[in-house]
Every structure is written in C-alpha cells, then in structure tokens.
Amino acid sequence: MLNRSYTSRQELEQHTFSPLVTLFVPLLAIFLQAFVPKLLPRFSLLDLPLIVVLFFAVSRRSPIAGTLTGAVIGLLQDALTNQPIGVNGMAKSAIGYVAASIGLQVDVESPLTRILITFIFSLINSVLLFLIDHRLLGLPDYHLFWGHELIRACANTVVAIPIFFLLDYTKRTE
C-alpha cells in the first residue's frame, strides 16, 4: 500500500547556510558591485547583490528571512555606492519577500525557474528603483530605458545561473 506524507513543501526543502557563507557571499557581492565598476565600467550592468538576495530568499523559503536579507544587503550596497541610503534596501527587501514567498509555492531548483525568476526580478528591481528615485525621492534626472533594462536583466540572468549552481554546494538541509 502506498504511504503518502502530508508534510509541507516548506518543511521538506528549507535550507540553511553556514555563518561563514551567510556573511562572506553577500559581502563579496557588495564589494565587487561597489569597486569593480570603477575599473571595468561595463560591470555596472550587473547587480550581484540582487542575485545573492534572490538565491538566499528562494533557498531559505522564509519571507521574513528574505525581507531581512534584502534589507541588509541593500543597505550595505547603498552605503558603498552613490545611491541615497535606503533605496536599494527598500527595493531588495520587497524582492526578498516576494522571492521567498514564491519559493514556498514553486520548485526553485529547476534551471528554467531560476532563469525566469532572475530575469523577472531583475526587471522588477529596475522598476522599484525607478519608482523610489523618481516618485518617492523626486529625482527628475532618473529615467528608465527599457532596452537597457532588458539587456541588464539578460546579463544578470546569464551570470546568476552559474552563481546559483556554485552556491548550491553551500546549502545545508534542515
């Protein structure tokens, strides 16, 4: 006779990370995002902290942890870049929350799902940054160019997939 388990998806696939990985990976992403574009201007097309927020949010599958991860990473990114403090913090908090909520419902281990999530959330991040800068802060010189944002989303997606697979090796199942 077939024995079925009614354990929730969240209980089965929630992952944790060592404190070293939890600290080192976001700091490395923020450091690279803050300093490498000064040497290689094309690197500014990528948003490594966004990729890290997405990975940790969908892996932990906890909206609270996703929100806090996004807030901390976003605020640290703001502190090291020329953005007003809180802009990336607000955007990445919202993305961390929604990504973790989606991670509860969808198989986020699939490469196709990871591609879609990264591409879509990269576009959402651009829209959130535009809304925060243009509407909330009233900065009239901030414009959204859809062609550029689509290229940015594609670049983030191409870079995110190998990063996700590398970070998969750091997961610990609860």
Side-chain angles (χ1 to χ4, degrees), residues 8-70:
S8 74
R9 182 177 188 83
Q10 181 182 7
E11 292 171 348
L12 287 176
E13 299 178 15
Q14 224 170 21
H15 299 285
T16 59
F17 301 91
S18 73
L20 186 63
V21 170
T22 302
L23 184 64
F24 179 70
V25 171
L27 288 178
L28 178 64
I30 293 165
F31 175 80
L32 290 174
Q33 189 69 41
F35 297 112
V36 173
K38 294 176 182 174
L39 301 171
L40 302 167
R42 292 198 184 261
F43 192 82
S44 64
L45 192 64
L46 298 176
D47 192 350
L48 294 178
L50 173 68
I51 294 169
V52 171
V53 168
L54 287 173
F55 178 78
F56 283 126
V58 298
S59 295
R60 290 183 178 137
R61 300 178 192 269
S62 167
I64 295 171
T67 303
L68 292 175
T69 300

Side-chain angles (χ1 to χ4, degrees), residues 74-75 78 83-92 129 132-133 137:
L75 288 172
D78 288 335
Q83 286 278 2
I85 299 293
V87 172
N88 279 304
M90 286 187 276
K92 287 184 176 51
L129 290 174
I132 293 167
D133 282 341
L137 296 178

Side-chain angles (χ1 to χ4, degrees), residues 101-144:
S101 298
I102 288 173
L104 287 170
Q105 305 297 322
V106 177
D107 175 25
V108 291
E109 304 297 322
S110 162
L112 179 61
T113 305
R114 287 178 170 187
I115 289 169
L116 288 172
I117 284 175
T118 305
F119 184 80
I120 291 169
F121 278 113
S122 184
L123 291 176
I124 291 171
N125 185 57
S126 297
V127 170
L128 287 173
L129 290 174
F130 171 75
L131 291 174
I132 293 167
D133 282 341
H134 190 69
R135 299 292 183 183
L136 191 61
L137 296 178
L139 301 175
D141 59 336
Y142 191 88
H143 300 286
L144 197 62

